[in-house]
Amino acid sequence: MALLAIVTEFKSHLVLFGGQVTQVAVEPPLAEQVVDFTSGAQSIANPFNDATTLVRIKVNAPCSLQFATAPNPTTSMQVMGTSDTEYKGVSPPGSRLKVGFISNTNFS
């Protein structure tokens, strides 16, 4: 089985009438990238879009991840479990960040 992460980029949160910010990303996404980290640490191919402020990450296997301009994740970094989904803020927008993943079988 391939170890995969799907990274979806969004410009903003939904703002309700009256200015209340919600925890809902505004569709459609700006971009979506799939990362195969089966053979070791890998990151998304392209940096986040300059307008990206929020990313959704969905993984199919336990892993660790790192946000950086040149990610080099290790198993001592943030962890996600099998089938986890997380939303992460990207700040500042336009920072040219990427996210990288590595298998982490110490966490499930």
Side-chain angles (χ1 to χ4, degrees):
M1 173 181 87
L3 307 180
L4 302 174
I6 301 170
V7 180
T8 308
E9 301 176 45
F10 296 97
K11 182 177 179 178
S12 62
H13 291 84
L14 180 65
V15 178
L16 299 177
F17 184 74
Q20 182 180 0
V21 177
T22 68
Q23 293 183 1
V24 177
V26 174
E27 295 282 353
L30 296 170
E32 193 163 51
Q33 299 183 60
V34 178
V35 179
D36 184 336
F37 56 97
T38 306
S39 60
Q42 293 293 326
S43 66
I44 57 175
N46 302 306
F48 295 137
N49 184 296
D50 285 346
T52 297
T53 62
L54 180 71
V55 293
R56 177 185 184 266
I57 300 171
K58 172 73 175 165
V59 297
N60 73 347
C63 63
S64 289
L65 60 107
Q66 179 190 32
F67 287 82
T69 55
N72 186 22
T74 67
T75 57
S76 64
M77 295 176 175
Q78 294 184 61
V79 293
M80 291 183 69
T82 302
S83 298
D84 279 0
T85 302
E86 289 197 16
Y87 285 84
K88 302 279 189 177
V90 178
S91 182
S95 57
R96 309 301 290 166
L97 290 177
K98 292 182 172 185
V99 61
F101 301 87
I102 190 168
S103 176
N104 187 346
T105 56
N106 296 322
F107 180 82
S108 54

